[in-house]
Amino acid sequence: GAVVSQHPSWVICKSGTSVKIECRSLDFQATTMFWYRQFPKQSLMLMATSNEGSKATYEQGVEKDKFLINHASLTLSTLTVTSAHPEDSSFYICSARDAGGREPNEQFFGPGTRLTVL
Amino acid sequence: QKEVEQNSGPLSVPEGAIASLNCTYSDRGSQSFFWYRQYSGKSPELIMSIYSNGDKEDGRFTAQLNKASQYVSLLIRDSQPSDSATYLCAVTPRGSTLGRLYFGRGTQLTVWP
C-alpha cells in the first residue's frame, strides 16, 4: 500500500516552454501533497504544500506564478513549471500524506521527475 | 527555527557490522520522527517512523527516540552493501496540522563487502 506515482519520470524541454508534472496517490486518499526539488548532491527543498480543493502554500523564495500547483482531487496534484529556463533543471519529487493511514503524518514519495531545460 | 541535524558522514562500515545514524532536532515539541533512505538518483523511501520514547524495531532496523535529549537514531544491524545510500532524518514539529516534514541534510552510508 501507500504508493505514489509521478509522470513523466523524465522530461527534456526547450527554454521558455511549460512542463506539467502529475503526482498521484494510487491506493489512498491524500488530502495533502508536497512538492520538493532536489539539486545534485543537495538536500530536499520543500517548494510548496498542496491541499485538495484549496490554494497551495509556497515556501519563501518559491515563485508561485512560475510553479503552478493544482490539487483538484484527493488522488491527484499537478505541478506546472511555466516558462522553464535552464536553472529550473532539477529533480522534482512529490510526496503524499496518508491522513487516514495507520501512522499519522507519514509521507510517501513518488519516484520523481527529472527535468532538463535546454 | 526548526532545525534537524545529522552527523555529516560519510559513514563507512564493513558488511555485517552495525551502522549507527544519529539525528538531533531543535523543536522540543516535535511529535513525529521518520527515517528515509535515498539511493543515488532516486526519491526517498520511508523505512521507519517513531512517535514515542524508546526503541522500535523492524527487521534489521531499530529506531531509537529520546525526546528529553531531542535525539533520534537509526541502527542497521548486519549491514549489507545494498544498504549503501543516504539516510534522511525527518521531523514533524509541534502544531503541524498538515504534517510538513523538516529534513536533515542526510548521512551517506557505505557498506563495503
Side-chain angles (χ1 to χ4, degrees):
Chain A
V3 178
V4 178
S5 70
Q6 264 184 261
H7 179 80
S9 55
W10 58 271
V11 57
I12 301 173
C13 68
K14 292 182 179 180
S15 185
T17 60
S18 294
V19 175
K20 180 186 280 189
I21 302 170
E22 290 186 350
C23 177
R24 294 182 185 272
S25 57
L26 298 186
D27 53 1
F28 66 98
Q29 293 185 329
T31 52
T32 308
M33 289 185 172
F34 304 84
W35 287 96
Y36 296 83
R37 181 167 55 180
Q38 188 174 38
F39 293 106
K41 300 201 181 299
Q42 294 190 22
S43 189
L44 290 169
M45 187 194 83
L46 179 66
M47 300 175 67
T49 301
S50 163
N51 266 329
E52 184 265 336
S54 62
K55 290 184 178 180
T57 302
Y58 290 81
E59 294 299 301
Q60 191 172 6
V62 178
E63 300 174 58
K64 61 181 181 181
D65 294 330
K66 180 169 182 62
F67 298 100
L68 300 178
I69 292 172
N70 183 281
H71 192 160
S73 78
L74 288 173
T75 59
L76 173 64
S77 176
T78 60
L79 168 67
T80 301
V81 184
T82 62
S83 187
H85 291 284
E87 58 266 29
D88 298 322
S89 298
S90 188
F91 191 39
Y92 291 86
I93 316 171
C94 72
S95 72
R97 176 176 168 236
D98 184 2
R102 184 173 54 89
E103 303 280 12
N105 293 329
E106 282 186 343
Q107 281 185 34
F108 300 93
F109 284 82
T113 297
R114 197 161 302 280
L115 170 64
T116 301
V117 184
L118 302 176
Chain B
Q1 186 73 5
K2 298 173 178 59
E3 295 181 349
V4 179
E5 301 279 349
Q6 294 184 242
N7 47 340
S8 57
L11 177 64
S12 181
V13 301
E15 184 174 357
I18 295 175
S20 177
L21 304 162
N22 304 314
C23 175
T24 59
Y25 56 94
S26 62
D27 183 356
R28 182 171 288 278
S30 295
Q31 49 189 318
S32 308
F33 308 85
F34 306 92
W35 283 99
Y36 286 85
R37 176 176 62 197
Q38 187 175 23
Y39 292 113
S40 180
K42 303 295 185 182
S43 66
E45 172 192 8
L46 178 65
I47 54 173
M48 289 287 285
S49 59
I50 187 167
Y51 301 90
S52 54
N53 281 327
D55 295 357
K56 180 181 178 181
E57 187 175 315
D58 184 0
R60 296 186 296 111
F61 299 98
T62 299
Q64 298 174 318
L65 175 61
N66 184 324
K67 290 186 177 181
S69 299
Q70 295 173 232
Y71 174 91
V72 58
S73 67
L74 180 70
L75 299 178
I76 306 174
R77 291 183 301 282
D78 188 23
S79 295
Q80 301 296 310
S82 58
D83 295 325
S84 298
T86 297
Y87 289 80
L88 302 170
C89 173
V91 175
T92 300
R94 157 182 37 198
S96 174
T97 56
L98 299 179
R100 182 226 164 115
L101 294 177
Y102 287 82
F103 283 89
R105 298 180 66 83
T107 299
Q108 186 176 342
L109 171 66
T110 300
V111 182
W112 43 277

